[in-house]
Amino acid sequence: MAFDIEMIKSVYSTVVEKVDLARKLTGKPLTLAEKILYAHLWDGQPTQPYVRGKDYVDFAPDRIACQDATAQMALLQFMQAGKQQVAVPTTVHCDHLIQAKLGADKDLQAALNNSNEVFNFLESVSNKYGIGFWKPGAGIIHQVVLENYAFPGGMMIGTDSHTVNAGGLGMVAIGVGGADAVDVMAGMPWELKFPKLIGVKLTGTLSGWTAPKDVILKVAEILTVKGGTGAIVEYFGPGALAMSCTGKGTICNMGAEIGATTSTFGYDASMERYLRATDRSDVADAANAVKEYLTADPEVYANPEAYFDQVIEIDLSSLGPLLNGPFTPDLSTEAGSAMTEKARANDWPLQVEWGLIGSCTNSSYEDLSRAASIAQQAIDKGLSTKAEFGINPGSEQVRFTAERDGIIQVFEKLNARIFTNACGPCIGQWGRYEDPKNAPKNSIVHSFNRNFAKRADGNPNTHAFVASPEMVAAIAIAGRLDFNPITDTLINDRGEEVKLEEPKGWELPERGFAVEERGYIAPEKDGSHVEVVVDPNSERLELLTPFEPIGDQITDARLLIKAFGKCTTDHISMAGPWLRYRGHLDNISNNCLIGAVNAFNKKTNFVKNQLTGAYDAVPATQRAYKAKGIKTIVVGDHNYGEGSSREHAAMEPRHLGVAAVLVKSFARIHETNLKKQGMLGLTFAKESDYDLIQEDDRFNFVDLHEFAPGKPLTIEVLHADGSKDTIVANHTYNEGQIAWYKEGSALNLIKKQQA
């Protein structure tokens, strides 16, 4: 039986009326995304049609999911909101703070030893406020959500950018910062600009070595890392119907890598099979009763150009296996000779040192079974792996079932290292090197979603390539980046030339899923007696102090850093070893912008202190400005804040005294996070004005006292030689968001309203 079945039935009980009314108001057939959005309006019944990409709308999500790294700050903020319980079903999942190094048992025990304080804090806060708690080792948040909580037609938010994984089960599931989650936990509406819609029509069928992963790798090539910004991507067509539910989840998961608000598929037979296989026949029965409301109207898919803002068509029958990377998830290369040519031209190492399977993107039973079929072939044909091989199962349910069915044992026979059911290398929790900064140049392949520099192992010289689990297995066996299993052969231990056959797997386990201990702890019905203790001397946890408003007078502000090129949330607030400080704002602020490249010297963590003229680390320089009461600004390039939803990338500069971030363009979540923390997130009205910013500049915000929706701000830039430029900065703040700024943060406003 499903968690929260009564809540799900309640959603379905009103969906018909709401969608019918929305269809009448808009005067047209509706996409699935529109149906879910209109069915989750904060005010209940739709009263007007909304303009895509323009109107800010208040929504009422059905549930919230938080992973342990982001949950700390989210729950620290919620503790200030003055509420007795969370207003909507919420869960916390301990999957980020487990480092992959020696193997599952030893690594899990090490995490329990090293992060016990944090796990205890999260468990006690969850118990106090009515939050479901998934223990360390229970699994990766998004796989656990897909198995237990996701449902067709639902809306959820999560404090992780890959919350979008639940779109594989027909949800609109969106990654947000912790402050957004706190709003919903506190019973407030959640605000989102009504998204644009991108339709992806899938024709043909996947076969052979081509996997769902290759679909999203192709979409990433087409749309790039920012092509989905402000849009929901909706997949449809015969190719979508023929795909498994977890395959759909893989595609939706990596929608975060194209900047999409989320991605989704209409409810179909594969979703029903998955719901029944995961002991949720009650959800499947309820969904079947309203199934035409859990997918787009037929006219939409028959004539998509009339209903989507953009339409892409991909023929799955002609799609081959791809590898995307290095250093960006949208650089796509076909397997084989194309990779040979590109690698040699760009000096990418062709020898592969590691193949890694797992992460929230590709750790389902189906993924493991298809990769295991390749591993079994290697064993049968006398092959061994030329690269090291690692596996992260997605959940304890997946791991237990895969072990019962002999899948885990196949990997072990091929000398694969089985890591904990956790994120591990995908989010930088990989104990690969003692000194990653000085580690050698190398290539790895993985089935993860992101491959930014230093992302997996902290080594800036690691060239990471993203591929399907079966391709990762094949390349780990071959040891070469340009290995094409469709055409290439290998030499076995008897000197024979052998060829790998196409992968085979199971959409769902033939004997059903099984698990002895899933790792879930339900909260007490009344947790008012539960005491949450935070040691004031802790280096891991710190109670929050409300931010003071920045004010409507910013004059003589200094430039902290002008970031050059790609500046993701990994550059602004690194993960890896810094994850241990995610609950301590002052300590983690020591990694603020240390990965950003300074445009004036092309170095990282090395900026000019205008007070002394000396160069120093970014956090140290900013702390010097803060000590003098001097406000600063950060300048950036396109898609600033791409990547993870981590709100620390906004909270750290806010905590240290940065007043404004001025860039060519923002990634959606990061822009919202800046607004939530009471900062100015601004864009150049004229992109070329980025080039006017000089190292010793000072800034006066001329008309900030007139801050209003739709009104650009004027910034006077004073150069060291006495000259000056005037820059116009655009913004997307509405009245409510300007109130956040004036109060110092969205949380301050919630507390004020609660009082």
Side-chain angles (χ1 to χ4, degrees):
M1 181 174 175
F3 287 92
D4 307 313
I5 184 61
E6 295 307 318
M7 178 270 285
I8 295 171
K9 288 180 178 179
S10 176
V11 172
Y12 290 162
S13 71
T14 62
V15 68
V16 173
E17 182 181 3
K18 290 177 178 178
V19 169
D20 285 348
L21 181 54
R23 195 185 290 116
K24 183 178 179 181
L25 288 167
T26 58
K28 65 178 184 63
L30 298 178
T31 65
L32 168 64
E34 288 173 308
K35 289 181 179 181
I36 297 175
L37 293 171
Y38 278 108
H40 285 83
L41 297 174
W42 177 256
D43 293 329
Q45 297 283 5
T47 57
Q48 67 179 89
Y50 292 105
V51 180
R52 300 174 192 170
K54 181 179 179 182
D55 290 339
Y56 280 95
V57 183
D58 286 341
F59 292 101
D62 299 314
R63 66 175 312 109
I64 301 166
C66 310
Q67 40 94 336
D68 50 352
T70 53
Q72 296 170 64
M73 197 58 69
L75 295 180
L76 285 164
Q77 292 177 85
F78 180 74
M79 288 168 65
Q80 294 188 55
K83 299 289 185 178
Q84 297 300 309
Q85 283 228 329
V86 291
V88 302
T90 302
T91 51
V92 166
H93 304 256
C94 296
D95 63 352
H96 273 55
L97 298 179
I98 304 169
Q99 186 184 59
K101 188 173 184 179
L102 301 175
D105 293 342
K106 292 180 179 178
D107 292 346
L108 179 57
Q109 188 57 55
L112 293 172
N113 295 340
N114 296 332
S115 297
N116 195 51
E117 177 187 13
V118 173
F119 295 143
N120 286 342
F121 166 76
L122 293 174
E123 184 178 345
S124 64
V125 175
S126 297
N127 201 21
K128 183 175 183 66
Y129 294 109
I131 298 169
F133 182 75
W134 290 81
K135 296 188 294 186
I140 304 171
I141 174 172
H142 310 304
Q143 180 65 30
V144 172
V145 165
L146 198 70
E147 292 175 8
N148 296 277
Y149 299 111
F151 67 97
M155 173 184 276
M156 70 175 288
I157 59 172
T159 59
D160 188 286
S161 57
H162 293 99
T163 300
V164 295
N165 188 80
L169 203 35
M171 293 195 87
V172 161
I174 301 175
V176 300
D180 272 352
V182 169
D183 282 358
V184 180
M185 289 180 196
M188 307 283 283
W190 174 62
E191 183 186 68
L192 177 73
K193 184 182 287 187
F194 205 83
K196 294 185 177 181
L197 300 175
I198 298 174
V200 180
K201 183 177 183 179
L202 303 179
T203 61
T205 55
L206 294 171
S207 62
W209 284 91
T210 311
K213 184 68 158 226
D214 298 302
V215 177
I216 185 58
L217 296 181
K218 186 65 177 179
V219 171
E221 176 190 6
I222 294 168
L223 289 177
T224 77
V225 291
K226 60 182 181 180
T229 303
I232 291 179
V233 181
E234 186 169 326
Y235 292 84
F236 62 96
L241 293 173
M243 198 177 294
S244 70
C245 178
T246 53
K248 292 177 171 74
T250 291
I251 292 171
C252 292
N253 184 297
M254 272 195 69
E257 275 54 70
I258 58 172
T261 301
T262 192
S263 304
T264 193
F265 287 77
Y267 179 59
D268 63 13
S270 72
M271 296 182 191
E272 179 180 354
R273 290 194 297 272
Y274 188 75
L275 286 169
R276 297 193 188 281
T278 51
D279 197 26
R280 289 176 289 171
S281 289
D282 47 357
V283 178
D285 292 340
N288 285 343
V290 291
K291 61 183 178 181
E292 63 268 32
Y293 290 85
L294 306 180
T295 189
D297 290 330
E299 300 93 329
V300 172
Y301 293 161
N303 186 23
E305 286 79 8
Y307 302 101
F308 292 99
D309 298 288
Q310 180 180 356
V311 177
I312 297 167
E313 184 169 336
I314 298 175
D315 179 7
L316 302 185
S317 299
S318 62
L319 184 66
L322 300 171
L323 289 90
N324 282 27
F327 307 131
T328 186
D330 59 354
L331 180 57
S332 188
T333 306
E334 293 181 1
S337 59
M339 177 59 78
T340 308
E341 295 172 11
K342 195 178 287 188
R344 287 174 177 166
N346 292 280
D347 197 27
W348 301 338
L350 280 168
Q351 180 183 348
V352 172
E353 294 194 2
W354 268 90
L356 296 156
I357 293 172
S359 91
C360 57
T361 324
N362 279 111
S363 55
S364 68
Y365 183 89
E366 181 180 32
D367 290 325
L368 296 186
S369 69
R370 285 177 64 85
S373 76
I374 304 303
Q376 185 63 57
Q377 284 187 57
I379 295 167
D380 295 342
K381 294 175 185 288
L383 297 168
S384 57
T385 53
K386 295 289 198 321
E388 294 191 71
F389 200 18
I391 311 291
N392 280 84
S395 69
E396 176 57 17
Q397 179 167 270
V398 166
R399 188 212 64 79
F400 186 93
T401 306
E403 184 174 62
R404 180 203 66 189
D405 295 347
I407 291 173
I408 297 296
Q409 294 87 327
V410 171
F411 289 128
E412 290 175 332
K413 288 177 183 176
L414 205 61
N415 285 327
R417 198 171 305 178
I418 310 301
F419 294 123
T420 315
N421 314 317
C423 304
C426 181
I427 48 92
Q429 284 284 56
W430 189 15
R432 184 183 181 191
Y433 297 114
E434 294 298 326
D435 182 14
K437 291 182 180 179
N438 296 306
K441 184 175 180 178
N442 73 102
S443 287
I444 65 173
V445 291
H446 59 56
S447 68
F448 308 159
N449 35 52
R450 297 211 169 113
N451 56 354
F452 304 141
K454 299 188 279 188
R455 169 80 177 186
D457 58 11
N459 177 7
N461 298 310
T462 292
H463 294 54
F465 296 84
V466 183
S468 68
E470 45 266 56
M471 278 297 293
V472 171
I475 290 174
I477 293 164
R480 282 186 62 86
L481 189 62
D482 56 353
F483 176 67
N484 184 351
I486 299 173
T487 58
D488 297 347
T489 57
L490 297 168
I491 304 301
N492 69 8
D493 55 9
R494 298 181 294 275
E496 301 166 338
E497 192 174 283
V498 296
K499 193 170 183 292
L500 295 175
E501 298 162 14
E502 294 176 354
K504 295 180 181 178
W506 295 270
E507 176 186 353
L508 296 164
E510 187 176 355
R511 291 191 285 158
F513 284 106
V515 65
E516 287 184 349
E517 169 54 54
R518 62 172 73 221
Y520 174 73
I521 300 176
E524 296 188 29
K525 289 185 178 181
D526 180 5
S528 58
H529 67 284
V530 177
E531 185 178 5
V532 179
V533 179
V534 175
D535 184 346
N537 297 314
S538 172
E539 67 165 15
R540 300 289 300 273
L541 297 165
E542 177 188 49
L543 295 176
L544 295 174
T545 301
F547 291 132
E548 293 292 329
I550 291 171
D552 61 3
Q553 299 292 324
I554 299 178
T555 58
D556 202 33
R558 312 300 168 91
L559 177 70
L560 174 60
I561 186 171
K562 178 180 177 180
F564 175 77
K566 187 184 284 284
C567 190
T568 72
T569 47
D570 275 24
H571 294 87
I572 304 168
S573 174
M574 289 185 176
W578 291 95
L579 284 173
R580 67 182 285 103
Y581 301 119
R582 283 284 181 88
H584 197 294
L585 183 55
D586 192 59
N587 283 349
I588 198 170
S589 292
N590 289 322
N591 82 357
C592 182
L593 285 156
I594 63 175
V597 177
N598 183 351
F600 300 108
N601 56 26
K602 302 300 187 291
K603 295 181 179 181
T604 59
N605 205 25
F606 198 65
V607 296
K608 187 174 184 178
N609 182 332
Q610 290 188 32
L611 302 177
T612 65
Y615 285 81
D616 203 347
V618 179
T621 302
Q622 180 56 38
R623 287 185 187 275
Y625 290 135
K626 182 179 180 180
K628 296 290 186 180
I630 297 171
K631 294 183 174 68
T632 60
I633 81 165
V634 170
V635 172
D637 211 318
H638 275 299
N639 210 28
Y640 184 88
E642 169 194 345
S644 169
S645 69
R646 67 191 66 151
E647 64 184 333
H648 298 76
M651 295 186 76
E652 291 174 31
R654 177 73 165 102
H655 171 69
L656 294 178
V658 175
V661 179
L662 175 62
V663 300
K664 293 180 181 178
S665 65
F666 281 109
R668 175 190 62 85
I669 299 177
H670 187 65
E671 181 182 22
T672 300
N673 286 345
L674 292 172
K675 292 177 179 181
K676 286 280 185 177
Q677 302 304 332
M679 294 178 71
L680 292 173
L682 309 171
T683 56
F684 290 101
K686 186 179 178 183
E687 287 184 7
S688 59
D689 284 350
Y690 169 92
D691 300 322
L692 298 176
I693 306 302
Q694 299 174 24
E695 194 168 27
D696 295 299
D697 284 347
R698 302 185 182 200
F699 304 85
N700 296 324
F701 286 66
V702 177
D703 52 2
L704 184 55
H705 61 286
E706 299 174 355
F707 193 17
K711 183 181 184 298
L713 294 175
T714 305
I715 305 173
E716 189 178 62
V717 185
L718 307 176
H719 304 302
D721 63 3
S723 64
K724 69 178 181 180
D725 285 295
T726 299
I727 287 177
V728 177
N730 292 331
H731 67 82
T732 60
Y733 288 75
N734 58 29
E735 291 285 2
Q737 295 166 346
I738 290 174
W740 300 342
Y741 176 78
K742 290 181 176 179
E743 290 295 332
S745 71
L747 182 59
N748 286 355
L749 185 61
I750 290 176
K751 291 170 64 179
K752 183 178 180 179
Q753 292 169 338
Q754 177 73 7

